[in-house]
């Protein structure tokens, strides 16, 4: 099935006429025989819109109930069944009433398009997702209904419905947009002239970008490489030198002269992979480009001029900014620079701006560096002087028997050897000196600098040319070999460092250790030099910040990491040829610092989010659980105080019992909240002492609402423990009530046993039980097992019980009861050699029932734990 097409009318603000344009397009298509229906169109009470709907088939709307109100939506299924050729669907960013097929109307439109139905729709610029923040900054009104930009960009046609701000305000004042009672407020707030102008500009710029995308696609499809000057685009050619900042600022001013101008910074790297510029300089140029509103691009190519021109034509640029060559005038005479070659290749469609700077004509560019060491060059000059003299001394006695061609070849061989040793300058020196010696000693007339045979003149000229050519080749080869070696070493070192740092727990320690090995230093450190004050972030053994600052300057190397941190190496200066690698190490250190900052920020954000969710859950749950007993107390007290009804003594006793039960429920709830708060803040203080479990179990059971459902037995050898009786009472109260609430009708069994130096107090029920993998979930505060909403309580009972148990030096765990159910195991330290005691009840006998307050309320569900000390707990419905 062929997918339908989407046409969108885009407006800068409500009231510009998008809906009217959509309806006019519908009538136009219907007039030429197209099957058109109105899927949804909201008139907002405007008479003109209602009139425009006349004559068009309008689909019945779907009505849904939401929060006590009846709302109307587009009936998507009805439109799909009707299957028109064109559907008119207003307000693309609209949010549907919950309960439908999709959350957003644009998703409904996607279904219509997938069914082969053409759709005509409308949307305002402030509803585009990418511009939502910008629209909020302009108008102060946050649009909660948004549509992804990609949906609008995929439309086959986007037409801007434009209107001058003054005209729109007049339309508003005439009551053609909003009802009269809303006009004054709208004109004074959202529809201020400045707001409308800014929104109009947003719409125009967004649509211009989409037009640019279409133009780029068209040029690509039709292989058009020439420049079409539709918009000012300025390309800055960067060499990686420090003059790049000057070029970028000048280019930014040029781009700002025209509306919508763009600046593209282009840095060309050699396609052989060799290093070309300092990494920190390139990083600084990238940051400056972004600050100036441009984009930074790194391209590769064998020739920088060709790469820049190719990029400029690819982005349809009409201007290129280059810097005045750094090469000396002598170098420029031998070979034109990148700027000259860009000018020559720009043609008639691209203007080239040559910008002067303080580094112009000072020498070679930052990418041109000497490939031979100073020692080799010095040796080459020495050889260029001594070797020709020695060779002449050997050949002069033999000149009568040796022809001039052989002599020239010998001197040429000598020149090549000098070139191999010292490079270009010594080789040229050797060639010139050899030429003079050949002329003086071996070319007739001997003893003069004149040459009688023209062939000898040609031979000497060729000799000098060949010597110079060979020396140039050797020089370039040596420089390239040095670059290859240095680049390989740097790449290997950085790759190894990056690989090992990814798996290292202490990245700074690894970075500093590798710095010592790579730069032959004795100590290294990352130091904060600005901000809160100087301090050492990380250092190797033996580093002292005070001693390092007192060392002579030549004993330390300081490399800037960022605005607040430095990488300090102590012992000897880093050679110039290693500065690039040192800069890369500093960049690694900056990445580690940035990663640490992000991790700290993420951890802080997680903590805040967890606390916020916990507070939200607590407030939500507490508001409900406090309201229920308070309502019961108020109702009972109100009834007792009422003079309209006379209650019998039995009824009064029942109402008073209800008051007491509700009060006890409130007391239990507030007690758990206070315990949770003290656990979270670390303010809980336990006072363990030797106690008999009978002193705690008996009153805890009797305090239950249904103590007759609890059967308990205390083993004589497992009764005496070290615990805080008050805290243990609260633990038992929560555990017992939880077991009674979720343990089924078979009751609860309490037993004790010994396990080495500990006593296990077991509370077993025979309820439905919980899976092994969900046992820890029941101890999570503000959450019941399975997030079940049924029951009372805020989900703190077992979480508080575990926290209190751990505060006493014990443990609270959950096990499966044999035959089904859950057993809560309270493990406490035993009293060594304690004498046994007799239980207050016979083994297996039920405890004596007596009236008790209503059980503590069941905890309500919540989203997240409030503290990690008792976050891994659960509550099957937890009390």
């Amino acid at each position: 099935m062929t997918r339908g097409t989407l046409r969108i009318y885009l407006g800068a603000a409500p009231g510009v006429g998008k809906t009217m344009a959509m309806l006019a397009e519908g009538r136009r298509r219907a007039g030429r025989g197209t099957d058109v229906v109105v899927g949804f169109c909201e008139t907002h009470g405007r008479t003109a819109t209602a009139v425009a709907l006349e004559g068009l088939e309008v689909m019945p709307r779907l009505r849904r109930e939401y929060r006590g109100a009846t709302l109307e939506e587009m009936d998507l299924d009805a439109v799909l069944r009707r299957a028109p050729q064109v559907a008119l669907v207003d307000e693309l960013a609209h949010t549907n009433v919950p309960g439908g097929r999709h959350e957003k109307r644009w998703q409904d439109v996607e279904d219509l398009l997938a069914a082969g139905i053409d759709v005509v729709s409308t949307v305002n610029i402030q509803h585009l997702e990418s511009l939502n923040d910008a629209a909020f900054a302009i108008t102060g009104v946050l649009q909660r209904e948004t549509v992804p930009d990609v949906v609008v960009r995929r439309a086959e046609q986007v037409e801007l419905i434009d209107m001058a701000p003054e005209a729109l305000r007049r339309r508003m004042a005439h009551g053609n947009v909003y009802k009269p009672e809303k006009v004054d407020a709208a004109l004074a707030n959202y529809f201020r002239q400045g707001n409308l102008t800014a929104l109009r500009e947003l719409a125009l710029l967004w649509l211009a970008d989409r037009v640019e995308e279409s133009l780029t696609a068209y040029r690509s499809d039709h292989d058009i490489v020439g420049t079409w000057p539709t918009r000012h685009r300025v390309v800055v050619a960067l060499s990686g030198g420090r003059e790049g900042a000057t070029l970028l600022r000048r280019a930014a001013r040029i781009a700002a002269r025209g509306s919508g101008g763009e600046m593209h910074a282009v840095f060309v790297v050699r396609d052989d992979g060799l290093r070309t510029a300092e990494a920190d300089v390139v990083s600084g140029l990238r940051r400056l480009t972004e600050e100036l509103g441009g984009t930074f691009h790194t391209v590769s190519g064998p020739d920088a001029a060709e790469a820049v021109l190719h990029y400029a034509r690819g982005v349809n640029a009409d201007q290129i900014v280059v810097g005045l060559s750094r090469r000396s005038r002598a170098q420029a005479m031998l070979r034109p620079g990148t700027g000259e070659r860009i000018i020559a290749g720009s043609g008639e469609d691209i203007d080239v701006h040559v910008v002067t700077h303080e580094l112009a004509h000072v020498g070679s560019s930052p990418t041109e560096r000497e490939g031979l060491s100073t020692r080799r060059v010095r040796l080459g000059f020495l050889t260029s002087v001594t070797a020709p003299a020695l060779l002449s001394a050997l050949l002069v006695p033999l000149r009568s028997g040796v022809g001039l061609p052989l002599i020239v070849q010998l001197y040429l061989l000598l020149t090549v050897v000098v070139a191999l040793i010292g490079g270009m300058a010594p080789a040229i020196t050797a060639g010139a000196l050899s030429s003079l010696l050949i002329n003086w000693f071996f070319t007739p007339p001997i003893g003069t600098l004149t040459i009688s045979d023209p062939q000898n003149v040609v031979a000497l000229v060729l000799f000098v040319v060949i010597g110079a050519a060979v020396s140039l080749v050797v020089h370039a080869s040596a420089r390239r070999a040095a670059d290859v070696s240095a680049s390989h070493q740097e790449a290997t070192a950085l790759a190894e460092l990056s690989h090992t740092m990814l798996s290292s727990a202490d990245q700074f320690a690894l970075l500093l250790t590798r710095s010592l090995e790579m730069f032959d230093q004795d100590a290294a450190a990352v130091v904060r030099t600005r901000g809160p004050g100087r301090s050492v972030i990380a250092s190797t053994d033996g580093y002292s910040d005070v001693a390092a600052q007192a060392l002579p300057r030549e004993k330390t190397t300081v490399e800037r990491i960022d605005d607040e941190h430095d990488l300090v190496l102590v012992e000897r200066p880093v050679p110039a040829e290693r500065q690039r690698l040192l800069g890369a190490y500093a960049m690694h250190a900056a990445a580690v610092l940035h990663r640490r900052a992000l991790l700290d920020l993420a951890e802080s954000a997680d903590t805040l989010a967890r606390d916020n969710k916990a507070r939200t859950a607590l407030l939500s749950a507490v508001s409900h659980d406090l309201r229920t007993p308070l309502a019961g107390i108020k109702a009972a007290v109100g009834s007792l105080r009422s003079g309209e009804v006379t209650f019998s003594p039995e009824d009064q006793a029942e109402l008073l019992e209800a008051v007491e039960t509700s009060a006890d429920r409130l007391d239990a709830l507030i007690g758990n909240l206070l315990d949770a708060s003290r656990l979270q803040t670390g303010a809980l203080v336990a006072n363990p002492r030797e106690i008999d479990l009978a002193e705690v179990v008996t009153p805890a059971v009797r305090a239950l609402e249904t103590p007759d459902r609890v059967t308990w037995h205390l083993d004589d050898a497992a009764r005496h423990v070290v615990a805080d009786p008050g805290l243990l009472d609260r633990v038992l109260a929560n555990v017992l009530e939880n077991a009674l609430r979720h343990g089924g009708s078979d009751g609860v069994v309490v037993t004790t046993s010994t396990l080495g130096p500990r006593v296990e107090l077991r509370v077993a029920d025979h309820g439905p039980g919980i899976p092994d993998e969900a046992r820890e979930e029941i101890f999570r505060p503000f959450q019941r097992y399975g997030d079940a909403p049924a029951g009372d309580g805020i989900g703190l009972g077992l979480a508080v019980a575990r926290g209190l148990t751990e505060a006493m030096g014990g443990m609270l765990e959950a096990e499966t009861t044999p035959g089904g159910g859950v057993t809560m195991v309270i493990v406490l330290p035993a009293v060594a050699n304690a004498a046994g005691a007799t239980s207050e009840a016979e083994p297996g006998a039920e405890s004596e029932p007596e009236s008790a307050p209503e059980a503590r309320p069941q905890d309500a569900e919540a989203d997240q734990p409030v503290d990690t000390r008792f976050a891994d707990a659960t509550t099957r419905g937890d009390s």
Side-chain angles (χ1 to χ4, degrees), residues 200-256:
R200 187 187 189 196
E201 183 178 11
L202 277 181
L204 291 170
L205 290 175
W206 188 91
L207 190 62
D209 287 338
R210 191 176 187 283
V211 171
E212 181 63 28
E213 293 174 5
S214 301
L215 177 61
T216 301
Y218 178 85
R219 284 165 50 85
S220 176
D221 294 341
H222 293 79
D223 297 325
I224 299 174
V225 296
T227 299
W228 287 4
T230 56
R231 179 189 296 194
H232 282 306
R233 287 185 180 82
V234 182
V235 172
V236 190
L238 299 176
S239 66
R242 300 186 184 276
E243 74 279 5
T246 302
L247 304 185
L248 287 171
R249 292 188 176 94
R250 178 65 63 85
R253 291 197 295 271
I254 294 174

Side-chain angles (χ1 to χ4, degrees), residues 750-762:
V750 180
T751 59
T752 61
S753 61
T754 57
L755 181 63
R758 294 182 175 272
V759 170
E760 292 185 347
L761 177 62
R762 295 175 173 271

Side-chain angles (χ1 to χ4, degrees), residues 6-25:
L6 175 62
R7 177 169 184 166
I8 294 177
Y9 289 101
L10 176 68
V16 295
K18 305 179 305 300
T19 302
M20 295 293 289
M22 178 189 72
L23 295 175
E25 175 66 13

Side-chain angles (χ1 to χ4, degrees), residues 474-507:
V474 171
H475 177 82
S477 177
R479 187 179 66 196
R480 195 175 187 83
D483 281 345
V484 170
S485 176
S487 298
H488 177 72
Q489 185 180 15
E490 291 180 11
T492 302
L494 293 176
E496 181 185 3
L497 178 64
S498 300
H499 179 73
T500 51
M501 284 182 68
L502 288 174
S503 57
S504 173
D506 191 349
Q507 294 182 330

Side-chain angles (χ1 to χ4, degrees), residues 555-749:
K555 284 284 189 179
T556 62
T557 300
V558 179
E559 181 70 15
R560 175 69 60 86
I561 295 176
D562 55 27
D563 292 339
E564 295 185 1
H565 300 86
D566 290 339
L567 174 62
V568 181
L569 304 179
V570 177
E571 181 53 31
R572 54 189 61 83
V574 176
E577 61 269 15
R578 312 283 281 177
Q579 287 292 334
R580 183 192 304 272
L581 187 59
L582 178 60
Y585 270 65
M587 291 182 68
H588 273 74
V592 175
L593 285 170
H594 184 61
R595 182 173 180 271
R596 283 188 171 188
L598 290 178
L599 289 175
D600 292 342
L601 184 63
E603 183 177 354
S604 175
D606 288 343
T607 301
L608 289 174
R610 185 167 58 248
D611 290 346
N612 286 336
K613 287 184 178 180
R615 292 188 186 98
T616 302
L618 179 62
L619 291 173
S620 175
V622 168
S623 63
H624 173 270
D625 285 274
L626 287 177
R627 187 182 298 115
T628 301
L630 284 175
I633 293 174
K634 181 176 178 59
V637 172
S639 299
L640 290 172
R641 295 185 60 189
S642 174
E644 300 178 359
V645 180
T646 302
F647 293 99
S648 65
E650 293 80 6
D651 292 337
Q652 291 181 2
E654 185 177 349
L655 290 172
L656 290 174
E657 183 181 358
V659 171
E660 184 180 14
T661 299
S662 297
D664 288 337
R665 184 174 177 181
L666 278 175
D667 178 67
L669 172 63
I670 294 172
N672 275 337
L673 289 173
L674 290 175
D675 288 340
S677 176
R678 287 185 292 171
L679 285 169
Q680 183 180 6
T681 59
L684 182 72
V685 178
N687 297 302
R689 61 179 177 83
E690 297 182 9
I691 62 171
D692 187 341
L693 286 177
E695 300 174 6
V696 179
V697 174
T698 301
V701 172
R702 289 176 177 173
L704 296 172
E705 182 181 8
T706 55
D708 55 313
R709 295 180 56 200
V710 179
T711 302
W712 55 282
H713 165 66
L714 304 181
D715 191 333
D716 290 343
R719 288 179 51 173
H720 295 83
V721 299
V722 177
D724 184 316
L727 298 184
L728 184 57
D729 176 73
R730 297 199 63 80
V731 171
L732 275 174
N734 283 327
V735 171
L736 286 169
E737 184 173 355
N738 188 75
L740 289 172
R741 190 177 296 274
H742 305 285
S745 58
D746 293 340
V748 175
V749 178

